[in-house]
């Protein structure tokens, strides 16, 4: 079967996607610089699939190393590109780190793909490109708004770079997948989310609070114009998200894409508030969560959830796992990681 490169393949979404690629029989090569992951994740992947992907520790900012990689792996047929910095807050303080790491590396990879006979490119994008959308649910035609952070800007710029490159590269076609909020872990709990330091995202903060690593969860505001006053997001199980990547890649490899550059929203289509996520966690874990409502977090949008029609109809993909499934697996994973 075709050889697929997964950059950032030892990360949270990357590792779950490697598992689904291997389940479909693809030969997987992982590049990861281990800046936000660990080589131990490979053991988790092998424990699930019994197959060890080729792993090359490589910093994609090193152009000559990227060239050497593709010279060695000129039989790569597709690339799923996860490798990027993704902390919204950090990006505000260190914009150049984000522009160099998220944009510079993308350019180097696209330059190499243009040299191959043909290649399919899947780009890890984000619903963050929409900002606070004027209409909900959010379709792929919703206007891309002024980015709220350099991180969000790198996703917007990245999409433009890919679109422009595909226009002049007959051998290259691409799909940008705009994720909503990825959560949960593989049911085997051999892989999951491993945030380094204090988690920025809601679900790992919930599970770390419940396991005793954090004293209490701060709920950032309950005075929003939503039914219970807390922000609404579309929490998608990471395994559903991973499966969508394999389907999107197949669409390109089988030439079923309708244009050289396409975008798809990946969400459940259902919005959940912060308090609803907490309630789901308490239900599936049987634990009472210690939380306190505090002030709003700078830059938070009120509500975002996906219109899933295009992904359902064009990709033939829809989510199969629920918020409860995601919270249950996230909690099982947290317990395993902390040896509880
Ligand atoms: C979700 C909700 C918070 C933490 C970000 C990025 C997005 C994507 C996913 C990469 C919000 C509330 C959170 C906490 C809280 N990342 N919250 N207490 O901000 O929707 O999206 O991560 O692609 O690009 O922007 O996710 O999990 O940080 O927050 O109350 O300790 O939970 O206010 O309403 P977000 P999040």
């Amino acid at each position: 079967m075709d050889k697929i490169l997964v950059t950032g393949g030892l990360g949270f979404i990357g590792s779950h996607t490697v598992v689904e690629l291997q389940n479909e029989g693809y030969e997987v090569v992982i590049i990861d610089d281990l800046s936000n992951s660990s080589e131990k994740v490979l053991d988790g992947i092998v424990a699930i699939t019994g197959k060890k992907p080729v792993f090359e520790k490589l910093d994609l900012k090193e152009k000559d190393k990227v060239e050497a990689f593709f010279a060695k792996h000129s039989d790569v047929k597709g690339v799923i590109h996860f490798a990027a910095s993704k902390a919204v807050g950090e990006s505000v303080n260190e914009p150049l780190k984000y522009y160099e790491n998220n944009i510079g590396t993308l350019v180097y990879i696209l330059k190499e793909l243009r040299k191959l006979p043909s290649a399919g490119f899947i780009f890890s994008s984000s619903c963050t490109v929409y900002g606070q959308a004027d209409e909900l649910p959010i379709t792929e035609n919703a206007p891309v708004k002024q980015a709220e952070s350099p991180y969000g800007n790198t996703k917007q710029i990245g999409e433009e770079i890919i679109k422009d490159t595909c226009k002049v590269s007959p051998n290259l076609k691409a799909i940008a997948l705009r994720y909503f909020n990825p959560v949960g872990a593989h049911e085997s709990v051999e892989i999951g989310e491993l945030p380094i330091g204090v988690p920025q995202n809601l679900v790992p903060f919930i599970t770390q609070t419940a396991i005793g690593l954090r004293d209490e969860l701060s709920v950032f505001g309950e005075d929003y114009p939503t039914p219970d006053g807390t922000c609404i997001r579309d929490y998608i199980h990471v395994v559903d998200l991973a499966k969508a990547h394999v389907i999107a890649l197949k669409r390109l490899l089988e030439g079923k894409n309708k244009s050289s550059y396409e975008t798809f929203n990946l969400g459940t289509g259902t919005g959940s508030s912060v308090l609803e996520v907490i309630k789901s966690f308490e239900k599936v874990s049987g634990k009472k969560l210690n939380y306190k409502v505090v002030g709003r977090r700078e830059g938070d949008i009120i509500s975002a959830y996906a219109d899933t029609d295009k992904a359902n109809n064009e990709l033939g993909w829809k989510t199969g796992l629920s918020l409860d499934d995601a919270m249950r697996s996230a909690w099982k994973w947290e317990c395993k990681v902390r040896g509880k």
Side-chain angles (χ1 to χ4, degrees), residues 61 127 193 197 293 305:
K61 293 194 295 293
C127 63
E193 194 168 4
V293 177
Y305 50 93

Side-chain angles (χ1 to χ4, degrees), residues 57-305:
K57 184 177 183 295
L58 197 156
D59 181 347
L60 292 169
K61 293 194 295 293
E62 297 182 54
K63 187 167 185 283
D64 55 334
K65 298 258 174 67
V66 177
E67 287 171 357
F69 175 90
F70 279 93
K72 190 166 116 187
H73 295 278
S74 56
D75 54 344
V76 162
K77 293 288 182 299
V79 175
I80 304 185
H81 183 47
F82 292 104
S85 301
K86 62 151 202 146
V88 172
E90 181 190 48
S91 79
V92 174
N93 302 320
E94 297 183 68
L96 287 180
K97 171 183 173 183
Y98 275 67
Y99 290 116
E100 183 185 37
N101 193 39
N102 294 9
I103 303 296
T105 59
L106 172 64
V107 169
Y108 294 159
I109 290 172
L110 292 174
K111 279 186 165 186
E112 294 309 312
L113 291 184
R114 276 171 53 86
K115 298 174 192 168
L116 299 179
S118 93
F121 185 70
I122 302 291
F123 180 62
S124 168
S125 190
S126 169
C127 63
T128 211
V129 303
Y130 300 116
Q132 176 56 68
D134 301 324
E135 283 178 44
L136 295 170
I138 303 173
T139 71
E140 288 80 357
N141 303 321
V144 168
K145 286 198 173 169
Q146 171 69 33
E148 310 260 341
S149 68
Y151 161 76
N153 209 18
T154 65
K155 292 303 180 185
Q156 292 180 3
I157 297 166
E159 289 192 5
E160 291 302 307
I161 290 171
I162 297 161
K163 186 162 62 177
D164 290 345
T165 306
C166 288
K167 272 185 204 148
V168 294
S169 317
N171 66 321
L172 181 59
K173 43 208 173 189
I175 290 177
L177 297 176
R178 294 172 174 168
Y179 314 154
F180 282 67
N181 288 55
V183 290
H186 193 269
E187 61 183 357
S188 65
V189 284
E190 294 292 350
I191 52 176
E193 194 168 4
L194 275 171
I196 293 172
V198 180
Q200 299 305 305
N201 294 126
L202 177 64
V203 172
F205 207 108
I206 287 177
T207 56
Q208 287 193 15
T209 301
I211 203 118
L213 263 182
R214 310 286 159 204
D215 295 335
E216 73 178 5
L217 169 77
S218 297
V219 172
F220 297 138
E222 65 171 357
D223 58 350
Y224 286 95
T226 62
D228 66 15
T230 62
C231 294
I232 291 170
R233 297 290 186 275
D234 185 335
Y235 296 94
I236 175 171
H237 197 297
V238 66
V239 173
D240 279 329
L241 188 63
K243 288 179 176 168
H245 286 73
V246 181
I247 291 169
L249 179 72
K250 258 190 192 157
R251 177 182 174 89
L252 296 180
L253 299 183
E254 293 169 358
K256 294 191 174 134
N257 51 304
K258 295 220 169 103
S259 67
S260 65
Y261 172 74
E262 297 174 302
T263 60
F264 290 94
N265 286 345
L266 297 183
T268 67
T270 302
S272 301
S273 73
V274 175
L275 293 179
E276 285 169 333
V277 173
I278 292 171
K279 204 175 296 148
S280 166
F281 174 77
E282 292 182 329
K283 179 172 72 172
V284 300
S285 67
K287 306 265 298 178
K288 186 89 187 71
L289 188 75
N290 188 22
Y291 70 89
K292 182 172 75 174
V293 177
V294 299
R296 294 182 174 191
R297 177 173 69 176
E298 183 71 24
D300 270 342
I301 58 167
I302 301 165
S303 179
Y305 50 93

